[in-house]
């Protein structure tokens, strides 16, 4: 009975794996973008990897969303104030929206630059806009801006998790860790 309760209140292994994979990919993705020289005329290795891993992030996030529809998140503690519940859910929704929007905006930007998007050399994706397109340039500006918004939201998300772990001590953060709650 205790084990069954524990299973219901934890995230399942697939959700946990996809969550930590997303974080690892994001660290890599920002690292590649920041390490690449600015305003190249054609993509170097770092930018080619940025384009490729960006497509991987898009696919991983689609998988996460599909899985979440099948396995909804375990409920938050009943005594969590309504504004904290709303804040946490709003941040999660915005994270999903940005994680889907950024790759599409980046893909549009690549088209505007005249860069071919060929993830890991496996297949050539179609250009979404013509080279020099003003819409593609606008998408590029949004890509840069929203990547900063994503960073800020990830920061809030981490602060929220730490608040649960060290302030409320209600086990909410541990639900996403691949260990039993009882061992923490
Ligand atoms: C969640 C996924 C992604 C994140 C977090 C992300 C983040 C970033 C960041 C932080 C920059 C630097 C922005 C700046 O300097 O103003 C950047 C640049 C760029 N990204 Fe992404 N990106 C993602 C996905 C993609 C994808 C899928 C593509 C294309 C298929 C792409 C194409 C580009 C391009 C073309 C640049 C400009 C590079 C340059 O001018 O040198 N991004 N991205």
């Amino acid at each position: 009975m205790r084990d069954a309760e524990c299973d219901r209140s934890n995230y399942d292994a697939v959700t946990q794996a996809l969550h930590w994979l997303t974080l690892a990919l994001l660290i890599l993705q920002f690292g590649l973008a920041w390490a690449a020289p600015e305003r190249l005329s054609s993509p170097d290795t770092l930018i080619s990897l940025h384009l490729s891993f960006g497509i991987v992030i898009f696919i991983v996030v689609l998988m996460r969303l599909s899985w979440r529809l099948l396995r909804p998140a375990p409920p938050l503690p009943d005594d969590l104030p309504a504004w904290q519940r709303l804040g946490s859910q709003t941040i999660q929704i915005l994270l999903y929206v940005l994680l889907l929007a950024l790759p599409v905006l980046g893909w549009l930007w690549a088209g505007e630059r005249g860069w071919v998007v060929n993830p890991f050399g496996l297949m050539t994706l179609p250009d979404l806009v013509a080279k020099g397109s003003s819409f593609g340039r606008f998408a590029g500006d949004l890509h840069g801006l929203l990547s900063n918004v994503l960073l800020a939201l990830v920061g809030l998300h981490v602060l929220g998790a730490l608040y649960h772990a060290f302030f409320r001590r209600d086990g909410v953060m541990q639900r996403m860790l691949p260990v039993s709650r009882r061992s923490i």
Side-chain angles (χ1 to χ4, degrees), residues 18-36 46 49-50 53-54 56-57 60-61 64 99 102 147 150-151 154-155 158:
L18 290 173
H19 176 271
W20 296 111
L21 176 64
T22 310
L23 177 67
L25 286 168
L26 276 183
I27 292 171
L28 179 68
Q29 188 68 345
F30 275 97
L32 289 167
W34 289 337
L46 293 176
L49 286 172
H50 179 83
F53 278 110
V56 173
I57 291 175
V60 168
V61 174
R64 279 189 74 170
L99 286 171
L102 276 167
S147 61
L150 176 68
L151 273 186
V154 170
V158 172

Side-chain angles (χ1 to χ4, degrees), residues 3-21:
D3 280 344
E5 277 170 14
C6 198
D7 284 340
R8 267 204 310 275
S9 60
N10 269 335
Y11 282 100
D12 62 278
V14 174
T15 304
Q16 291 180 351
L18 290 173
H19 176 271
W20 296 111
L21 176 64

Side-chain angles (χ1 to χ4, degrees), residues 104-175:
V104 176
L105 293 169
W107 187 359
L108 284 161
W109 197 7
E112 184 271 327
R113 305 284 286 275
W115 295 354
V116 176
V117 181
N118 186 353
F120 306 106
L122 293 175
M123 62 183 294
T124 300
L125 300 184
D127 296 335
L128 293 183
V129 292
K131 187 174 180 181
S133 138
S134 52
F135 178 64
R137 201 164 312 127
F138 172 68
D141 290 343
L142 268 185
H143 187 77
L145 177 76
L146 292 181
S147 61
N148 290 322
V149 176
L150 176 68
L151 273 186
L153 287 172
V154 170
L156 286 174
H157 181 73
V158 172
L159 281 179
L162 295 176
Y163 167 76
H164 280 284
F166 297 111
F167 208 75
R168 282 182 53 95
R169 296 173 187 270
D170 55 9
V172 164
M173 191 184 96
Q174 284 82 349
R175 308 187 313 175

